[in-house]
Amino acid sequence: MKSITSLFLAIIFMLTAFFTVYAQSAETIWLSANTTSYKTGEIVIVTVNATSSTPIQGMTFQIRYDPACLQPVSATSPIPGMNGLNLPQTPGLVDATFASTSPQAVNGILAEVRFTALGGCQTNLALESAGLAVRNQSGFAAPLAGTSLGEKNIALTIDKELGTSQVSDPVAGGTPLAFVPTPSDADGQAFPSWLLILFSALAGAIGVLIVLNVFRKP
């Protein structure tokens, strides 16, 4: 009787361990960083990571940052054939999407995101959203169901002392994303509106004078 009870308990224990491992192996995405302390001007590197039992053909993620402390530089994926798709960027939010023409296994780093430290501050990076994509039976991209978010926040300390970064180039498996400010965002690059108005007025006046001279000719 005792042997039957022991066998029954052993089976329950094995089943519990099996379902626990299965639950932990579900699709998960999380944010991580090897270093959280930087100096002004140095390159801040964070990685978006994932585990998935299903090969994927795309991914997307959004990272919230403080534009007064950090300037996004680039995002690259080490996964072969995973190409970045350029999207309009909003200050304070890195919006990245990558896609591949063929299924790719995922177990580790999805993408590496780089920022430039702008000045001394205490700040946070937050993984606001992330997802994995597969190709459905109709041939269209579809979100991989059951994907959850793990660690979403990273606290960073940036010293006001000027530093220098000696970091290697990221390993890119496909086309990287470059986050370059638009000309309208650059300081001093926007053409003054009052100058445009003045030029328009002058052009109009010159046009009127030319027309009057033409009509005055005999």
Side-chain angles (χ1 to χ4, degrees):
M1 185 68 179
K2 289 184 179 181
S3 60
I4 296 176
T5 303
S6 300
L7 179 61
F8 182 70
L9 292 174
I11 293 174
I12 293 178
F13 177 81
M14 291 175 61
L15 289 174
T16 301
F18 172 79
F19 285 115
T20 300
V21 171
Y22 180 81
Q24 290 177 345
S25 65
E27 284 72 17
T28 306
I29 305 175
W30 70 95
L31 200 62
S32 66
N34 291 332
T35 305
T36 58
S37 296
Y38 294 89
K39 294 180 180 179
T40 299
E42 291 185 336
I43 299 298
V44 177
I45 300 176
V46 296
T47 57
V48 180
N49 313 274
T51 57
S52 174
S53 58
T54 303
I56 66 168
Q57 288 191 245
M59 58 183 174
T60 181
F61 58 86
Q62 292 182 320
I63 299 177
R64 180 70 62 183
Y65 67 94
D66 183 354
C69 293
L70 300 169
Q71 170 65 54
V73 177
S74 64
T76 57
S77 175
I79 302 174
M82 196 64 74
N83 300 309
L85 306 178
N86 288 315
L87 298 173
Q89 298 295 310
T90 302
L93 186 69
V94 165
D95 193 351
T97 297
F98 289 82
S100 172
T101 56
S102 59
Q104 304 290 342
V106 174
N107 187 17
I109 297 176
L110 277 181
E112 179 185 282
V113 186
R114 297 189 173 203
F115 300 82
T116 299
L118 299 180
C121 59
Q122 299 282 336
T123 189
N124 289 286
L125 290 173
L127 184 63
E128 287 209 341
S129 65
L132 305 175
V134 295
R135 182 174 294 181
N136 60 22
Q137 294 181 349
S138 301
F140 297 102
L144 183 59
T147 303
S148 61
L149 296 183
E151 180 59 48
K152 296 185 291 184
N153 297 287
I154 294 178
L156 298 175
T157 300
I158 301 175
D159 195 297
K160 63 180 180 181
E161 181 182 350
L162 191 63
T164 56
S165 286
Q166 295 181 351
V167 294
S168 59
D169 294 334
V171 178
T175 305
L177 289 176
F179 303 118
V180 180
T182 59
S184 60
D185 294 334
D187 294 338
Q189 296 298 319
F191 206 65
S193 58
W194 64 268
L195 201 53
L196 289 175
I197 296 173
L198 178 60
F199 284 157
S200 298
L202 288 174
I206 293 172
V208 171
L209 290 175
I210 293 174
V211 171
L212 289 177
N213 287 332
V214 170
F215 280 108
R216 282 179 182 177
K217 290 182 179 180

